[in-house]
Amino acid sequence: MPVLAALAVAATPAWPDDSARHAATVLVKTAPLSKKTLPVLLTAYGTVQPDSGNTVHMVVPRAGQVTKLVVSPGQEVRRGQQLFEFATGAATLLGYQQAASTVKFATADLARTRELFKERLATNAQVATAEKALSDAQDALKAQERVGAGRSVQWIVSPGDAIVTEVNAKVGDRLDQGGTVLQLTERGAVQIMLGIEPEQADKVHAGMPVAITSVFDPSRTIAGKIDGVHGMIDPQTRLVDAVVRMEGKPAAGLLPNMRVQGVITTGEVSGWVVPRQAVLTDDQGAYVYQIKDGVAQRVGVKTLLDSDDVYVIDGPLDPKLALVTLGNYELSDGQAVREAAAAGAAAAAAPAGAAKVN
């Protein structure tokens, strides 16, 4: 019997218990949980353009010819500065001369009719007709004068301090009545056209704040707001244009055709803010590890916001437990761990030649 008992004991397999299975520990780094509210940002790129609401079209209200042009696109001009010389067309000059002659004739005719009326050789109706003819002739002449038809040559000057944003004519061009010669935009009055990806366009609305920076000088930021979002895709850029206007006074330093970056605040999200490397994913979804009594606990989470080097997450996290930020790739649920700070202290206290626990 003693021999059989000994054989039975020898045949019994030595199954390791849980303590043996988790004896090996993993060195990890942890951080406390923090709950915050972060803005939801959308980055887009675009160009500075003249503000359409502050653009003046320099239009000549009569037919004629551009005889001199002394400005070019991009040039700054001052109030009263000469822009171009315009010669009135022959037909327009003839119309003015005819209107002036009509007034002269109507004035003389009215005087003659009144003299006849005094001699009882004209009626009240004839006097009234002559007065009406003179009034109509004077109105026609004033209309000609308002469009400058009486000037054979005229210098057109700038109505204020501005920038020449577009020149639509050149010397020698003959223009019909109402032809645009050039366009002026108030100095510093600009708008920004940002290109938004079509799938992101529905997230951008009028009134949202935008931080504008030059792609060449990101150190300077100018505040603006979304003024509107176009309802179609630009055929050239394949993006949806969003118009941004600067807040307050015209923005200095932003020049037409400058390339800029715009960071749009589309909203905000509240949740647990964790380092990007703290969140892992597998077939079951996103998850993190928290430490309880020296053991790693897997917690499934949902990513609410991906912002630069952090995530905003939500899930059944315990705010009292530390979050694993480094070393989590080596962990499994229930794995024994040792935190980096504690491990460093233990190594310093250990005598020389002491072995580290792996």
Side-chain angles (χ1 to χ4, degrees):
M1 288 296 294
V3 174
L4 293 176
L7 291 174
V9 171
T12 303
W15 297 105
D17 56 14
D18 288 343
S19 60
R21 197 161 38 223
H22 295 295
T25 61
V26 177
L27 179 64
V28 298
K29 185 177 180 180
T30 62
L33 278 174
S34 174
K35 204 164 194 175
K36 296 180 181 179
T37 299
L38 295 183
V40 181
L41 304 178
L42 175 63
T43 301
Y45 297 87
T47 57
V48 180
Q49 299 181 359
D51 189 349
S52 57
N54 290 278
T55 298
V56 177
H57 294 257
M58 300 303 295
V59 176
V60 181
R62 61 187 184 276
Q65 183 180 26
V66 178
T67 54
K68 292 181 181 180
L69 184 63
V70 295
V71 293
S72 57
Q75 181 177 338
E76 292 190 9
V77 295
R78 301 293 181 181
R79 178 185 295 273
Q81 181 175 335
Q82 292 180 340
L83 303 175
F84 61 92
E85 185 185 60
F86 189 80
T88 304
T92 304
L93 285 173
L94 179 60
Y96 175 80
Q97 292 169 359
Q98 290 174 343
S101 297
T102 301
V103 171
K104 184 177 180 180
F105 176 80
T107 301
D109 184 62
L110 177 59
R112 183 179 62 83
T113 303
R114 284 174 175 172
E115 288 297 328
L116 291 175
F117 178 77
K118 291 179 181 178
E119 298 175 5
R120 297 181 181 279
L121 297 176
T123 64
N124 286 330
Q126 290 174 317
V127 174
T129 299
E131 290 175 344
K132 179 66 167 58
L134 177 58
S135 177
D136 290 345
Q138 289 173 337
D139 289 342
L141 181 60
K142 289 178 181 178
Q144 293 282 346
E145 291 174 343
R146 278 196 295 270
V147 298
R151 300 182 179 182
S152 59
V153 177
Q154 179 185 6
W155 273 100
I156 307 300
V157 300
S158 175
D161 295 346
I163 296 175
V164 180
T165 53
E166 188 173 339
V167 176
N168 307 97
K170 57 183 181 293
V171 175
D173 283 355
R174 295 184 180 276
L175 305 178
D176 295 329
Q177 180 178 352
T180 301
V181 179
L182 51 83
Q183 296 179 23
L184 301 177
T185 301
E186 180 185 349
R187 295 180 62 194
V190 296
Q191 65 184 18
I192 295 172
M193 202 70 73
L194 295 178
I196 309 296
E197 294 290 343
E199 59 271 17
Q200 302 284 347
D202 60 342
K203 300 178 181 179
V204 182
H205 306 286
M208 288 182 171
V210 185
I212 299 295
T213 57
S214 168
V215 295
F216 304 108
D217 183 16
S219 62
R220 186 164 181 259
T221 302
I222 300 175
K225 284 188 177 181
I226 297 292
D227 188 64
V229 181
H230 290 186
M232 61 181 292
I233 295 176
D234 187 299
Q236 295 182 345
T237 64
R238 312 306 301 173
L239 301 174
V240 178
D241 289 333
V243 182
V244 179
R245 297 192 188 277
M246 302 300 100
E247 296 181 343
K249 297 181 180 180
L254 292 180
L255 302 177
N257 300 322
M258 178 185 289
R259 289 285 296 173
V260 295
Q261 171 187 281
V263 179
I264 308 168
T265 302
T266 61
E268 57 183 25
V269 171
S270 297
W272 302 106
V273 179
V274 301
R276 178 184 293 271
Q277 66 270 18
V279 181
L280 305 177
T281 57
D282 59 13
D283 295 340
Q284 300 179 29
Y287 63 96
V288 297
Y289 283 108
Q290 287 190 281
I291 304 302
K292 183 177 182 180
D293 298 330
V295 175
Q297 291 187 336
R298 172 174 170 149
V299 182
V301 297
K302 178 181 179 182
T303 302
L304 303 179
L305 178 65
D306 180 355
S307 177
D308 296 331
D309 57 346
V310 298
Y311 282 131
V312 179
I313 61 174
D314 187 30
L317 297 169
D318 188 341
K320 298 179 182 179
L321 301 182
L323 177 77
V324 177
T325 58
L326 288 176
N328 48 356
Y329 287 94
E330 304 177 37
L331 293 178
S332 59
D333 195 21
Q335 177 79 49
V337 300
R338 53 194 175 93
E339 298 184 38
K356 295 182 179 179
V357 179
N358 295 322

